[in-house]
């Protein structure tokens, strides 16, 4: 099934070491195209809450100025991960709450140095309560595996992943729009405070904004993805790289090579910051 998704476009992956800096601190060379197509284990689907002392993290970014068109829920700035997830699950701020099966809060390690922000949940995400599942999720996991990153705390071969190699995944909108339609501006605005708080808690070293609605929420820009990708933006001091959503790449496999360039750009940014 994965072969039918056009994953052979990632064949240039083994040349990364020759074409740019090392993949990451203590990382091994990128995997082969065959390894990239391997399914992830079920264990990485759960959210991993920190146990014991956390490793050194990047300084906390300054508070994000609230969008003037929406008020942050009361007490949001003091919520930890558990309280925030409860607040999201009980949210009725917009009409999307009436049609959801469940909210889709996020997935991955809360110690992760990388944050991936998608757009809105689809049908399978709404059922499972996790972002990026199905074919889009498989493609995203393969993309992350290609740069030695994972949404869990272990790699698919069982090796332990350090925080620098872990990814947390969230969406700009936490509830599924009916019939998978595009999220409306008011829906993006109502969900924005929750994403802002997730970023404040995570304090990522790099943000990957996947898709135009993630970009609209984070950068407040309506520029096309093609005009925004290829350079480094910043969100409250955190480097941000724009790239295509995996669902778009499944429909337009000719742009997977551009997405690979975006991943390499994000790697260079992180490596430069840790040098």
């Amino acid at each position: 099934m994965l072969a039918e998704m056009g994953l052979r476009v990632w064949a240039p992956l083994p040349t990364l070491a020759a074409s740019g800096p090392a993949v990451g601190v203590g990382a091994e060379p990128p995997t082969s195209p065959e390894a990239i197509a391997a399914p992830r284990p079920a264990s990485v689907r759960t959210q991993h809450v920190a146990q014991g002392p956390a490793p050194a993290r990047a300084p906390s970014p300054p508070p994000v100025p609230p969008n003037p068109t929406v008020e942050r829920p009361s007490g949001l700035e003091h919520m930890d991960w558990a309280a925030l997830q409860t607040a999201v699950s009980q949210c009725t701020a917009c009409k999307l709450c009436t049609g959801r099966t469940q909210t889709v809060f996020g997935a991955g390690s809360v110690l992760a140095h990388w944050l991936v922000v998608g757009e809105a949940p689809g049908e399978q995400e709404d059922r499972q309560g996790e972002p990026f599942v199905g074919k889009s999720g498989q493609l995203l996991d393969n993309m992350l595996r290609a740069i030695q990153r994972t949404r869990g705390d272990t790699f698919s071969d069982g090796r332990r992943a350090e925080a620098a190699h872990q990814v947390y995944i969230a969406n700009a909108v936490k509830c599924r729009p009916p019939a998978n339609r595009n999220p409306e501006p008011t829906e993006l605005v109502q969900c924005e405070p929750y994403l802002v708080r997730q970023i404040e808690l995570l304090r990522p070293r790099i943000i990957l904004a996947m898709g135009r609605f993630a970009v609209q929420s984070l950068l407040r820009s309506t520029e096309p993805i093609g005009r925004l990708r290829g350079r480094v933006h910043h969100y409250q001091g955190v480097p941000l790289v724009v790239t295509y959503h995996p669902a778009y790449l499944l429909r337009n496999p000719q742009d997977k090579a551009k997405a690979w360039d975006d991943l390499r750009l994000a790697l260079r940014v992180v490596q430069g910051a840790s040098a």
Side-chain angles (χ1 to χ4, degrees):
M1 179 174 62
L2 291 177
E4 296 173 357
M5 293 162 55
L7 291 179
R8 292 184 183 277
V9 72
W10 300 109
L13 300 182
T15 65
L16 177 60
S19 60
V23 171
V25 179
E28 297 179 0
T31 54
S32 67
E34 291 75 16
I36 293 167
R40 60 180 176 150
S43 62
V44 304
R45 292 180 179 272
T46 58
Q47 179 174 323
H48 299 275
V49 179
Q51 300 291 334
R57 303 301 307 279
S60 179
V64 178
N67 190 311
T69 61
V70 65
E71 293 185 6
R72 287 165 64 110
S74 177
L76 184 68
E77 66 276 10
H78 303 300
M79 291 182 184
D80 59 11
W81 283 105
L84 182 62
Q85 185 165 6
T86 298
V88 168
S89 69
Q90 298 173 350
C91 180
T92 58
C94 75
K95 60 188 177 183
L96 292 183
C97 68
T98 62
R100 72 189 181 211
T101 301
Q102 58 187 318
T103 55
V104 180
F105 180 72
S109 170
V110 298
L111 299 178
H113 288 189
W114 289 59
L115 172 64
V116 170
V117 178
E119 299 184 319
E123 181 179 6
Q124 295 185 62
E125 286 83 1
D126 178 65
R127 289 177 179 174
Q128 299 184 36
E130 181 182 348
F132 285 98
V133 298
K135 290 186 176 180
S136 291
Q138 291 171 343
L139 178 54
L140 174 60
D141 287 335
N142 289 329
M143 294 166 69
L144 295 176
R145 187 180 299 115
I147 57 171
Q148 295 290 303
R149 300 300 185 269
T150 176
R151 71 166 84 190
D153 56 7
T154 59
F155 292 106
S156 58
D157 60 5
R159 288 180 297 119
R160 179 78 180 180
E162 300 296 331
H165 292 239
Q166 295 173 4
V167 175
Y168 190 85
I169 304 173
N171 279 327
V173 174
K174 310 304 185 188
C175 298
R176 179 197 177 195
N180 291 350
R181 65 161 170 77
N182 291 334
E184 297 176 354
T186 54
E187 295 160 356
L188 285 166
V189 165
Q190 292 295 340
C191 259
E192 181 182 308
Y194 297 123
L195 178 60
V196 168
R197 184 57 182 160
Q198 285 178 302
I199 296 174
E200 290 172 350
L201 289 171
L202 188 66
R203 291 152 53 192
R205 306 288 180 88
I206 185 76
I207 298 174
L208 276 176
M210 291 187 150
R212 64 188 178 103
F213 297 108
V215 169
Q216 287 179 18
S217 183
L218 291 168
L219 297 182
R220 296 179 185 169
S221 172
T222 58
E223 286 287 307
I225 297 295
R227 294 182 183 177
L228 293 172
R229 56 166 300 276
R231 63 183 190 270
V232 180
H233 307 267
H234 287 83
Y235 178 86
Q236 294 299 305
V238 181
L240 184 151
V241 172
V242 172
T243 192
Y244 297 107
H245 194 282
Y248 169 87
L249 295 175
L250 291 173
R251 299 190 302 269
N252 301 273
Q254 70 278 5
D255 284 335
K256 288 183 179 179
K258 295 178 181 178
W260 172 237
D261 289 340
D262 298 333
L263 294 179
R264 292 197 297 176
L265 172 60
L267 281 172
R268 290 195 296 271
V269 170
V270 171
Q271 290 156 6
S274 61

